[in-house]
Amino acid sequence: MGERLVTAARWCWAYVRRAPGTFVWLAILLLTTVLIRSVSPATADHILERRSTNIHYLVESPVRVLISSALYIAGGGWVGYFVLYNLFHVPVERWLGTGRWLTVAVIAHVGATYLSEGVLLWAIDHGQAPQSARYTLDYGVSYALAGVQAVLTYLLARPWRYVYLAGLLLFYGFGVVSERDFTSIGHFSAVLLGLACYPVARGRSPEWDPLAWARGAYRRLRGRAVGGTPADGG
C-alpha cells in the first residue's frame, strides 16, 4: 500500500511539473475562490467590483484589473475549472511551453476584454445600453480558456482538426446568436484571437491523432491484461 501511494505521488508530481503555469494558476484560483466564499456577499461584491475589467476601470487602472480579473472565477465552481484546465491548458502548456502558452492566454484575455468592452461602449454611446453598464462586473478566466481551446486546434491531426474547430466555432457562435451580450462576443473574440496565434504554435511538435493514440492505448492495455509484453501502438 505504501509503495502504491509513493508511486501515485510521484506520478502526480511528474504530471504537475510538466505544466507548472497551469497548476500555479489553479492554486491561485482555489485560494481566491475560498476567500470569496468566506466573506459576506457585500464584501465579495466589493472585492470583485474592484477587480472588474469594466469600461470605468479599463480607463482608470487597466493593468491592475486585467491582471487581477484573471485570478477569480466567474460562474461555476473551482472543480469544474480544474477539469477544464486539465483538458485544455495542460496539453497546450506541455505542447507550446510555458512561455508561449502564457502568451496565447494573455492575448486572448486582454484582446477579448477590450473587444467586448468596446462593443459595450459603442452600445452605450448609441443608446443601446444604459450608462450604468460602464460599471458592469466583468472578471474571470473564460476568455483565456477560450483562446487556449482555439490554439489547441493546431495540435490535432487532420481531419480531427476540422471537426474540433467546427465544434468550437458552433459552441461559441451559438452563444453570440442566443445571448447577444458583450460576454458572448468576448468569448467568440477570444476564440478568433487564439486561432490567430498560429505563428506561436507553428512547428512546435508533430500533430496528434486521437484515433491512433486510442488504438495504441488499447493495444498496450490488452497486452498487460494477458500478461505479456504490451503490443506496439501508435
Side-chain angles (χ1 to χ4, degrees), residues 168-182:
L168 199 65
L169 292 175
L170 283 172
F171 177 80
Y172 285 107
F174 178 77
V176 175
V177 174
S178 61
E179 300 296 333
R180 296 184 180 181
D181 60 7
F182 77 95

Side-chain angles (χ1 to χ4, degrees), residues 112 116 119 138 142-143 146 171-191:
S116 61
V119 170
D138 184 22
S142 57
Y143 291 167
F171 177 80
Y172 285 107
F174 178 77
V176 175
V177 174
S178 61
E179 300 296 333
R180 296 184 180 181
D181 60 7
F182 77 95
T183 302
S184 59
I185 292 173
H187 286 128
F188 195 78
S189 299
V191 169

Side-chain angles (χ1 to χ4, degrees), residues 8 12 17-18 44 64 123 133 138 172 178:
C12 288
R17 71 181 182 181
R18 290 181 63 195
R64 178 183 65 81
D138 184 22
Y172 285 107
S178 61

Side-chain angles (χ1 to χ4, degrees), residues 107-173:
I107 288 173
H109 174 65
V110 175
T113 295
Y114 274 103
L115 286 169
S116 61
E117 293 294 338
V119 170
L120 180 59
L121 180 60
W122 181 93
I124 294 171
D125 290 342
H126 289 78
Q128 303 298 314
Q131 289 294 327
S132 59
R134 294 175 182 272
Y135 304 92
T136 301
L137 285 180
D138 184 22
Y139 63 93
V141 298
S142 57
Y143 291 167
L145 176 61
V148 167
Q149 288 174 326
V151 82
L152 185 62
T153 301
Y154 303 119
L155 176 60
L156 300 175
R158 299 170 181 85
W160 309 111
R161 172 180 300 183
Y162 305 121
V163 174
Y164 176 81
L165 177 59
L168 199 65
L169 292 175
L170 283 172
F171 177 80
Y172 285 107

Side-chain angles (χ1 to χ4, degrees), residues 42-221:
T43 302
D45 287 344
H46 176 71
I47 291 172
L48 296 175
E49 188 272 333
R50 289 285 299 168
R51 286 151 182 81
S52 178
T53 51
N54 55 39
I55 295 170
H56 172 72
Y57 282 125
L58 283 176
V59 173
E60 183 178 279
S61 51
V63 175
R64 178 183 65 81
V65 294
L66 284 167
I67 294 174
S68 61
S69 67
L71 305 180
Y72 291 82
I73 292 173
W78 182 85
V79 173
Y81 277 97
F82 178 84
V83 173
L84 290 172
Y85 269 49
N86 277 272
L87 286 175
F88 299 105
H89 280 290
V90 166
V92 170
E93 185 178 0
R94 289 179 175 181
W95 170 46
L96 295 180
T98 299
R100 294 188 181 210
W101 157 79
L102 185 59
T103 297
V104 174
V106 169
I107 288 173
H109 174 65
V110 175
T113 295
Y114 274 103
L115 286 169
S116 61
E117 293 294 338
V119 170
L120 180 59
L121 180 60
W122 181 93
I124 294 171
D125 290 342
H126 289 78
Q128 303 298 314
Q131 289 294 327
S132 59
R134 294 175 182 272
Y135 304 92
T136 301
L137 285 180
D138 184 22
Y139 63 93
V141 298
S142 57
Y143 291 167
L145 176 61
V148 167
Q149 288 174 326
V151 82
L152 185 62
T153 301
Y154 303 119
L155 176 60
L156 300 175
R158 299 170 181 85
W160 309 111
R161 172 180 300 183
Y162 305 121
V163 174
Y164 176 81
L165 177 59
L168 199 65
L169 292 175
L170 283 172
F171 177 80
Y172 285 107
F174 178 77
V176 175
V177 174
S178 61
E179 300 296 333
R180 296 184 180 181
D181 60 7
F182 77 95
T183 302
S184 59
I185 292 173
H187 286 128
F188 195 78
S189 299
V191 169
L192 297 181
L193 288 166
L195 292 173
C197 289
Y198 173 70
V200 176
R202 184 171 49 195
R204 289 301 296 170
S205 68
E207 296 175 344
W208 180 61
D209 187 333
L211 184 58
W213 177 86
R215 286 173 177 170
Y218 170 74
R219 290 170 184 167
R220 289 189 291 271
L221 288 173

